[in-house]
């Protein structure tokens, strides 16, 4: 009753191709954006920003990149951590060695570096698929791990191997407080989500989905697999590289190679699976879920009056993640995003059941 | 019965094509031609190599021997997307639609070769990309009208009944504005009504757009009514080639495939 | 990773002493020393490779019989070893072994019932990601149940190093007797499994299942029973692997990470080949050791981490079906 398309008449294709054709969707999304940019800063405290919202936003960006590759183009990748590392170290080295370079520009350039690396490691996808490709991307992950921990040039020859990020400024405005960092990450996340949405509904997105669904048929109607697959790796790696730079500079502040290891790759893949493959919203939902679950589990014993060690909590986390992956694959392979869409469908018919 | 149309010269010529998979000989020394604007049928028992022949024309399989001449250009083998670029489109025996996308998106994907907007234009959705999207949407809608599938244009393809999926596949092939259309059993699994509709569409395509059509079909009634000329394959060899009447009375064809004389 | 123990100096350390400047006898000795060292590294690599092969065997089994790539094999190794160790604290060895076998059977049953059955006929990539989920669950569950300390596993396997060929090389070559034991066990396992697949009725049924689930069902092969059998056998193979790995390194969480190396092994050997798993493991083991010892000092070490994967990648590009696997043909 509240959510319907009835009465929405479009008279041109241009009107129909707008991002949010249904009026209620428009209200919802705009209010969400306003809420995020205005209401949250007014009511949230530093803990919320630093521990929850900022990691959520940055990981959403990375999950978005991964979703473009895995969910839209069907190329599985377990090398995400490595590409984040490329972004982080590239941004660091650019800021270090190019005098006067603005860190935000450095982030984008670092994304570019990640793009090049991503294209290189995406070349095997032209010949292999499925879990073979997963193994190939694992090779990328371990190799990049090794590069950043052994080749001292990247870490500027620091003996410990861990780095400190410089401050982020934009025209004399320093992003040093949690609030400012939050707004920066929010801006990045929103802009990139819009970018992703545009790409996905156009020609490139369709060619990705064609390759995912049936690559032989896609080739027969004229889509070049080389271009489609490598462009997916390229765009995906750009997103992931920028996310990596943000993770290092904004969230961690100082980091070592372990921050981008294979566990990070798995965690991002889980976000994409649980959130929903092939869905922009799903990337955000999955990231939210995986960011909030450990916090929830940490608080749970206190609420229940039990006393659990941190080791036990992290084991429980593993168990719950594993069980949820299996659960989602069986019950709803399209993840939380699909559940959201089903909810909207129900809302269309409410108060009728069907 | 074929209508009077301006059937032109041979646009596709197959010369001595031999194709083998390991020890299995799919095609042996097959030669024939297809004239422009005509409807050519390929018939034969199952396993005769009909689909393999289409795959060879398309560039999906590469023959060990022989050559293919299309629009004057001779080659032994081609990649499928080059075949598409040259104006060959096809449908498949087992439907090869993109199950994750809607009907509209599937057909829009068929327009892929005609769209040229750059990456940045698409990312920011301005100017060239946006206008192109709308212009091609217009063309696609015309095809949807033509094949009468307006009601299902937003439905995900996986949910459609089989007959509808075949029609969507035809629409996607037409979206590329091909000069030659290869149809692999377009009427398999359809009832009489659906077959009549499909026949009408195929004739309309040939009439209105002048598309050359190569068609694999088992229903003899359809073959005799629709096609201008027929090629008969059996165990990978050509055993008959001519107008439907000629083929119908060819003894070798009767023995191998048709059975009792029609 | 512990450096390869050696009783001869590295070739580089010998310095600028050219063999040609030595007396004929001394130069023969020098060559013999480097030869001996090379052989030691080689044998060390082979032994390490055998350990990888043990884990890969389980992978190949499951893939051969159900078409599923079981990412969780490593976690199963860890879980089996952990269960055995903790049970041994409370009961004598034979009983502990028996109980662990039962546990692996129950695990196989749970996986078959809760994960495989609902996902039958789904694309391979979904099943692969499901095994990813099983991995995480099993690691968490195992450590919740049995704790996450490092445990020593002592089954009475002889551990003293043997010295062989000391009449050919000065001082002989070091070979661990536990490594020798592992090799013998793996060899026996391979023979048993090969016979099982080739000769028995169940083995043939398993191969049918791997090819096509629906077709196998339609000719009356009881899919669920087959899967139960296969996953139990794979679990037992994982137990053997866990015992041998565990007595060498102690039972700890990193066991399952080491088992990640099994993926390149099956890629090299071919997903459907039992001998391929062995040979692939040996190649990876030797390759890793060799590159670490001979190339490592030049590039900063740590090559072991990515050598296996890079080799697998090269194979994937040149010969995706591995050395002994079957070629996969896509029909249009």
């Amino acid at each position: 009753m509240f959510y319907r398309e009835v009465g929405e008449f479009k008279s041109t294709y241009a009107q129909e191709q707008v991002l949010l054709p249904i009026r209620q969707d428009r209200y919802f999304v705009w209010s969400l954006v306003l809420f995020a940019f205005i209401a949250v800063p007014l009511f949230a405290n530093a803990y919320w920003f630093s521990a929850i919202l900022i990691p959520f936003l940055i990981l959403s960006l990375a999950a978005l990149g991964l979703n473009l590759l895995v969910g839209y183009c069907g190329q599985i990748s377990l090398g995400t951590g490595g590409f984040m590392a490329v972004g982080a170290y590239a941004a660091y080295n650019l800021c270090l060695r190019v005098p006067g370079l603005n860190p935000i520009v450095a982030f984008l350039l670092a994304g570019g570096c990640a793009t090049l690396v991503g294209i290189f490691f995406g070349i095997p996808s032209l010949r292999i698929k499925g879990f073979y490709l997963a193994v190939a991307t694992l090779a990328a992950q371990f190799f990049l791990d090794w590069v950043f921990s052994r080749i001292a040039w990247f870490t500027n020859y620091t003996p410990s191997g861990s780095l400190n990020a410089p401050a982020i400024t934009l025209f004399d405005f320093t992003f040093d407080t949690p609030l400012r960092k939050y707004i920066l990450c929010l801006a990045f996340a929103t802009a990139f989500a819009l970018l992703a949405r545009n790409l996905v509904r156009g020609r490139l997105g369709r060619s990705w989905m064609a390759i995912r669904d049936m690559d032989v048929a896609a080739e027969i109607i004229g889509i070049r697999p080389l271009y489609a697959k490598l462009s997916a790796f390229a765009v995906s790696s750009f997103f992931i590289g920028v996310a990596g730079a943000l993770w290092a500079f904004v969230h961690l502040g100082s980091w070592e190679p372990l921050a981008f290891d294979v566990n990070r790759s798995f965690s991002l893949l889980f976000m994409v699976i649980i959130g929903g493959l092939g869905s922009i919203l799903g990337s955000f939902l999955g990231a939210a879920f995986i960011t909030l679950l450990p916090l929830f589990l940490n608080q749970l014993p206190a609420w229940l009056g039990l006393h659990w060690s941190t080791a036990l909590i992290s084991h429980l986390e593993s168990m719950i993640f594993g069980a949820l992956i299996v659960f989602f694959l069986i019950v709803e392979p399209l993840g939380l995003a699909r559940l959201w869409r089903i909810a909207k469908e129900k809302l269309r018919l409410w108060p009728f059941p069907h | 019965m074929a209508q009077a149309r301006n059937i032109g010269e041979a646009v596709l010529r197959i010369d001595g094509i031999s194709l083998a998979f390991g020890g299995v000989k799919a095609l042996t020394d097959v030669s024939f031609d297809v004239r422009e604007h005509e409807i050519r049928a390929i018939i034969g028992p199952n396993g005769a190599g009909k689909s393999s022949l289409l795959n060879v024309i398309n560039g999906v399989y590469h023959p060990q021997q022989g050559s293919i001449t299309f629009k004057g250009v001779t080659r032994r083998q081609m990649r499928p997307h080059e075949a598409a670029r040259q104006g060959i489109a096809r449908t498949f025996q087992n439907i090869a639609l993109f199950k994750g996308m809607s009907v509209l998106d599937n057909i829009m994907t068929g327009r892929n070769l005609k769209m040229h907007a750059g990456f940045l234009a698409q990312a920011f959705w301005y100017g060239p990309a946006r206008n192109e999207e709308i212009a091609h949407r217009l063309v696609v809608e015309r095809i949807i009208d033509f094949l009468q599938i307006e009601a299902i244009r937003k439905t995900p393809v996986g949910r459609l009944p089989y007959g509808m999926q075949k029609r969507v596949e035809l629409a996607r092939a037409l979206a590329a504005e091909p000069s030659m259309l290869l149809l692999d059993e377009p009427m398999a699994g359809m009832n009489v009504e659906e077959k009549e509709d499909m026949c009408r569409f195929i004739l309309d395509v040939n009439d209105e757009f002048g598309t050359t059509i190569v068609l694999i079909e088992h229903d003899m009634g359809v073959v005799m009514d629709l096609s201008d000329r027929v090629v008969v394959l059996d165990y990978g060899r050509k055993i008959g080639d001519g107008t439907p009447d000629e083929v119908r009375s060819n003894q070798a064809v009767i023995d191998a495939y048709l059975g009792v004389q029609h | 990773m512990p450096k390869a123990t050696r009783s001869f100096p590295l070739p580089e350390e010998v310095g600028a002493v050219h063999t040609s400047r030595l007396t004929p006898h001394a130069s023969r000795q020098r060559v013999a020393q480097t030869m001996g060292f090379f052989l030691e590294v080689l044998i060390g690599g082979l032994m390490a490779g055998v350990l990888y092969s043990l884990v890969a065997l389980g992978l190949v089994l499951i893939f051969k019989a159900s078409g599923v790539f079981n990412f969780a094999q490593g976690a199963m190794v860890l879980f089996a070893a952990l269960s055995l160790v903790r049970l041994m604290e409370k009961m004598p060895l034979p009983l502990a072994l028996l109980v662990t076998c039962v546990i692996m059977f129950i695990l196989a049953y749970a996986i078959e019932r809760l994960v495989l059955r609902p996902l039958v006929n789904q694309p391979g990539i979904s099943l692969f990601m499901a095994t990813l989920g099983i991995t995480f669950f099993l690691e968490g569950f195992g450590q919740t149940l049995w704790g996450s300390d490092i445990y020593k596993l002592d089954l009475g396997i002889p551990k003293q190093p043997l010295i062989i060929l000391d009449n050919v090389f000065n001082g002989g070559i070091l070979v661990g007797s536990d490594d020798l034991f592992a090799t013998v066990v793996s060899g026996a396992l391979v023979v048993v499994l090969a016979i099982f697949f080739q000769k028995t009725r169940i083995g043939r049924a398993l191969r049918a299942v791997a090819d096509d689930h629906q077709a196998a069902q339609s000719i009356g092969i009881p899919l669920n029973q087959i899967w139960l059998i296969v996953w139990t056998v794979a679990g037992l193979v994982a137990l053997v692997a866990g015992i041998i790995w565990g007595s060498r390194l102690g039972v700890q969480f990193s066991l399952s990470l080491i088992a990640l190396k099994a993926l390149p092994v099956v890629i090299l050997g071919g997903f459907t080949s039992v001998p391929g798993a062995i040979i692939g493991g040996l190649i990876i083991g030797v390759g890793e050791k060799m590159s670490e010892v001979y190339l490592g000092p030049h590039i900063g070490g740590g090559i072991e981490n990515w050598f296996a994967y890079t080799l697998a990648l090269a194979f994937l590009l040149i010969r995706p079906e591995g050395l002994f696997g079957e070629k996969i043909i896509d029909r249009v």
Side-chain angles (χ1 to χ4, degrees):
Chain A
M1 182 169 92
F2 296 115
Y3 185 72
R4 53 171 186 248
E5 288 167 79
V6 173
E8 301 263 349
F9 296 115
K10 316 285 180 195
S11 46
T12 64
Y13 291 129
Q15 275 179 351
E16 209 222 7
Q17 282 179 350
V18 163
L19 269 179
L20 300 163
I22 302 179
R23 196 163 18 111
Q24 284 88 343
D25 271 338
R26 270 202 296 276
Y27 293 162
F28 179 73
V29 172
W30 272 113
S31 49
L32 189 67
V33 170
L34 287 173
F35 178 77
F37 272 98
I38 299 180
V40 169
L42 289 176
F43 294 112
N45 58 20
Y47 170 73
W48 267 87
F49 286 136
S50 312
I52 301 178
L53 291 168
I54 291 178
F56 158 67
L57 286 170
I58 303 178
L59 290 177
S60 304
L61 185 56
L64 192 54
L66 188 59
N67 211 342
L68 288 177
L69 185 60
V70 181
Y72 284 97
C73 194
Q75 310 298 312
I76 190 161
S77 167
L78 287 173
T80 326
F83 296 140
M84 281 179 84
V86 172
Y89 283 95
Y92 177 79
N93 279 284
L94 282 167
C95 284
L96 188 68
R97 294 162 205 279
V98 178
L101 183 66
N102 182 302
I104 296 186
V105 175
F107 293 158
L108 296 172
L109 289 174
C113 295
T115 306
L116 293 171
V117 174
I119 293 179
F120 175 72
F121 281 109
I123 292 176
S125 74
L126 300 172
R127 287 213 65 184
I128 55 182
K129 307 191 237 187
F131 37 74
Y132 297 95
L133 186 60
V135 173
T137 52
L138 270 179
Q141 169 72 47
F142 290 129
F143 181 74
L144 289 169
D145 270 350
W146 178 81
V147 163
F148 291 121
S149 50
R150 297 301 171 128
I151 300 185
W153 184 83
F154 288 109
T155 53
N156 204 21
Y157 303 99
T158 47
S160 64
S162 77
L163 295 174
N164 289 312
I168 309 170
T169 58
L170 184 69
F171 309 128
D172 284 343
F173 184 78
T174 315
F175 292 93
D176 47 6
T177 68
L179 170 63
R180 294 184 182 183
K181 291 184 184 180
Y182 163 74
I183 297 285
L184 180 67
C185 294
L186 186 62
F188 265 100
T190 323
F192 275 69
L194 201 60
L195 227 66
R197 190 81 183 88
N198 282 336
L199 281 175
V200 150
R201 63 180 170 141
R203 172 170 60 107
L204 195 57
R206 280 195 294 267
S207 60
W208 288 343
M209 291 194 273
I211 295 277
R212 172 194 68 189
D213 285 338
M214 200 174 281
D215 51 355
V216 183
E219 204 183 347
I220 290 178
I221 64 175
I223 295 175
R224 278 206 316 266
L226 176 94
Y227 184 71
K229 288 182 184 176
L230 288 186
S231 64
F233 269 96
V235 174
S236 162
S237 308
F238 181 74
F239 278 51
I240 294 174
V242 172
L246 282 174
W247 187 254
F249 277 56
V250 176
H251 178 60
L252 292 178
S254 72
W255 75 94
E256 40 170 41
L258 225 56
F260 301 111
D261 68 354
V262 72
N263 288 311
R264 176 66 57 204
S265 302
F266 281 131
S267 140
L268 281 167
L269 188 63
F270 289 164
M271 283 181 212
V272 164
I273 296 177
I274 291 181
L277 289 161
S279 157
I280 308 269
L281 176 66
S283 319
F284 285 90
L285 292 176
F289 188 85
I290 294 206
T291 312
L292 291 175
L293 186 67
L295 295 165
F296 174 73
L297 281 180
N298 271 319
Q299 305 294 341
L300 189 61
W303 294 342
L304 292 180
L306 298 169
H307 190 69
W308 288 343
S309 65
T310 40
L312 181 63
I313 292 181
S314 79
H315 296 322
L316 278 176
E317 223 177 271
S318 291
M319 280 172 66
I320 293 183
F321 279 156
L324 274 172
I325 296 279
V326 176
F327 175 76
F328 270 99
L329 282 168
I330 295 175
V331 170
E332 187 48 83
L334 298 171
L336 290 171
R338 176 99 181 97
L339 293 176
W340 171 257
R341 250 174 270 149
I342 293 177
K344 284 206 292 188
E345 293 283 323
K346 297 269 182 218
L347 208 55
R348 265 179 221 225
L349 301 165
W350 189 83
F352 302 109
H354 59 84
Chain B
M1 61 272 149
Q3 300 170 352
R5 261 167 291 129
N6 49 339
I7 296 184
E9 291 307 309
V11 67
L12 174 71
R13 206 187 295 275
I14 310 275
D15 275 313
I17 292 283
S18 293
L19 177 69
F21 299 112
V24 178
K25 291 207 170 87
L27 296 169
T28 314
D29 199 26
V30 176
S31 306
F32 64 93
D33 66 13
V34 179
R35 297 191 197 129
E36 212 178 353
H37 305 310
E38 81 168 335
I39 299 181
R40 193 83 143 104
I42 303 180
I43 65 175
N46 280 321
K50 310 189 292 292
S51 290
S52 306
L53 188 54
L54 284 196
N55 282 336
V56 162
I57 298 176
N58 220 174
V60 177
Y61 292 160
H62 298 153
Q64 278 78 26
Q65 281 170 322
S67 69
I68 305 169
T69 309
F70 183 63
K71 289 187 186 164
V73 178
T74 310
R75 34 120 189 154
R76 164 85 67 77
Q77 57 194 40
M78 200 147 75
R79 302 246 42 199
H81 65 254
E82 284 166 29
R85 215 170 290 268
Q86 298 207 355
I88 305 178
R90 76 171 278 186
T91 66
F92 296 83
Q93 203 172 352
N94 307 312
I95 298 180
L97 286 172
F98 305 124
K99 296 272 159 68
M101 297 200 259
S102 68
V103 168
L104 188 59
D105 279 333
N106 264 277
I107 307 176
M108 284 288 270
T109 313
R111 291 298 290 170
N112 189 70
L113 277 175
K114 314 264 176 203
M115 299 177 84
H116 302 292
F119 174 80
L120 281 178
Q122 286 181 59
F124 293 105
W125 201 261
Y126 73 94
R130 199 165 161 272
N131 296 336
E132 200 178 54
E133 198 68 22
I134 294 171
H136 288 283
R137 174 75 186 267
L138 211 56
V139 175
V140 166
E141 287 290 341
R142 260 188 251 132
I143 296 175
I144 290 179
D145 269 345
F146 178 72
L147 289 176
Q148 296 168 359
I149 45 178
E150 302 92 327
I152 52 169
R153 65 156 82 75
K154 289 284 172 81
T155 322
V157 152
R159 282 201 227 152
L160 294 172
Y162 186 78
M164 280 293 147
Q165 287 188 10
K166 282 234 167 239
R167 228 188 267 189
V168 172
E169 227 197 344
L170 181 60
R172 188 183 66 182
L174 290 177
E177 290 173 28
S179 41
M180 186 162 81
L181 194 52
L182 309 173
L183 301 174
D184 196 341
E185 300 200 31
M187 291 169 229
M190 288 188 182
N191 61 30
V192 174
E193 254 184 55
E194 291 170 331
K195 277 197 195 179
E196 282 178 2
D197 283 340
M198 197 54 126
C199 278
R200 183 165 44 90
F201 290 137
I202 294 177
L203 278 175
D204 283 345
V205 166
N206 182 254
D207 254 346
E208 281 189 39
F209 306 128
T211 319
T212 314
I213 297 186
V214 179
L215 149 79
I216 296 179
E217 191 40 61
H218 278 294
D219 184 330
M220 277 306 109
V222 166
V223 169
M224 299 304 168
D225 281 344
L226 273 190
S227 45
D228 297 315
R229 291 191 300 153
V230 180
V231 172
V232 189
L233 291 180
D234 187 28
Y235 287 114
R237 287 180 195 278
K238 186 175 82 165
I239 60 172
D241 185 353
T243 66
D245 289 322
E246 287 168 16
V247 161
R248 204 188 337 224
S249 44
N250 181 330
Q251 190 59 39
V253 173
I254 294 172
D255 288 340
Y257 186 49
L258 288 178
V260 178
Q261 196 160 8
H262 276 50
Chain C
M1 292 268 123
K3 280 190 102 102
T5 54
R6 57 182 199 266
S7 48
F8 300 100
L10 277 175
E12 304 88 68
E13 288 178 41
V14 173
V17 180
H18 247 295
T19 46
S20 60
R21 287 215 267 127
L22 299 170
T23 65
H25 173 74
S27 72
R28 260 203 311 278
Q29 264 210 329
R30 188 77 71 199
V31 169
Q33 279 179 344
T34 54
M35 246 316 265
F37 176 68
F38 173 78
L39 272 180
E40 224 181 57
V41 173
L42 181 68
I43 293 183
L46 285 172
M47 297 299 173
V50 164
L51 296 177
Y52 292 142
S53 306
L54 274 178
V55 183
L57 262 179
L59 270 172
V60 167
L61 260 178
I62 291 185
F63 189 82
K64 245 175 122 71
S66 51
V68 177
F69 185 81
N70 180 23
F71 200 83
Q73 190 70 20
M76 281 164 68
V77 169
L78 169 66
F79 187 73
L82 209 45
S83 308
L84 182 63
V85 162
R86 299 292 262 134
L87 284 172
M88 271 171 67
E89 292 172 9
K90 312 214 173 93
M91 52 184 84
L93 174 59
L95 189 59
L97 266 176
L98 191 63
V99 176
T100 312
C101 289
V102 172
I103 291 180
M104 296 314 281
F105 173 78
I106 296 176
L107 178 67
Y109 183 76
I111 291 179
E112 191 273 316
R113 195 73 175 54
L114 298 172
V115 179
L116 293 180
R117 220 184 278 188
L119 284 176
V120 79
N121 286 323
Q122 292 291 331
I125 197 74
S126 294
L127 285 162
F128 169 65
M129 295 205 270
T131 59
L132 209 57
I134 297 176
T135 308
F136 270 72
F137 181 82
L138 218 47
E139 282 174 7
F141 182 62
Q143 289 178 76
T144 308
L145 212 54
W146 303 121
S148 44
D149 299 324
I150 305 178
Y151 298 97
K152 267 196 65 72
L153 178 60
D154 188 4
L155 287 182
I157 301 173
K159 275 209 205 9
Q160 69 275 27
L162 297 173
I163 301 202
I164 62 173
L165 295 177
D166 56 354
N167 48 341
V168 180
F169 301 104
N170 196 3
I173 296 182
L174 238 53
V175 172
S177 56
D178 53 349
D179 287 336
L180 223 44
F181 181 77
T183 314
V184 170
V185 167
S186 313
L189 253 181
V190 170
V191 170
V192 166
L193 288 172
I195 296 178
F196 177 69
F197 270 104
Q198 289 299 117
K199 304 291 179 193
T200 67
R201 185 170 52 99
I202 295 184
R204 279 197 293 274
L206 287 177
R207 287 191 289 168
V209 166
D211 264 336
D212 191 333
H213 295 174
Q214 270 186 317
Q217 266 179 319
S218 62
I219 61 174
I221 296 181
L223 217 54
N224 302 325
Q225 286 179 19
I226 297 278
W227 280 344
L228 187 54
I229 295 174
V230 171
W231 281 75
T232 308
V233 172
L236 297 176
V237 171
L239 178 57
V240 172
I243 291 174
I244 296 188
W245 273 103
S247 57
R248 211 164 186 270
L249 298 172
V251 177
Q252 50 179 312
F253 179 68
S254 64
L255 256 189
S256 65
L257 286 179
I258 290 172
L260 265 183
K261 290 265 181 70
L263 280 86
V265 170
V266 288
I267 288 183
L268 240 72
F271 272 87
T272 48
S273 162
V274 166
I278 301 293
I279 307 232
L282 293 179
I283 295 179
I284 298 261
V286 168
E288 265 186 359
K289 278 282 178 302
M290 289 286 179
S291 60
E292 184 66 46
V293 166
Y294 288 109
L295 284 180
H298 301 294
I299 338 182
I303 298 185
E304 283 181 313
N305 292 338
W306 52 265
F307 176 80
Y309 278 93
T310 318
L311 190 59
L313 180 58
F315 257 82
L316 282 174
L317 295 174
I318 305 170
R319 202 190 149 91
E321 67 273 15
L323 289 169
F324 299 99
E326 297 149 6
K327 237 181 151 61
I328 320 150
I329 305 182
D330 263 330
R331 273 222 94 183
V332 175

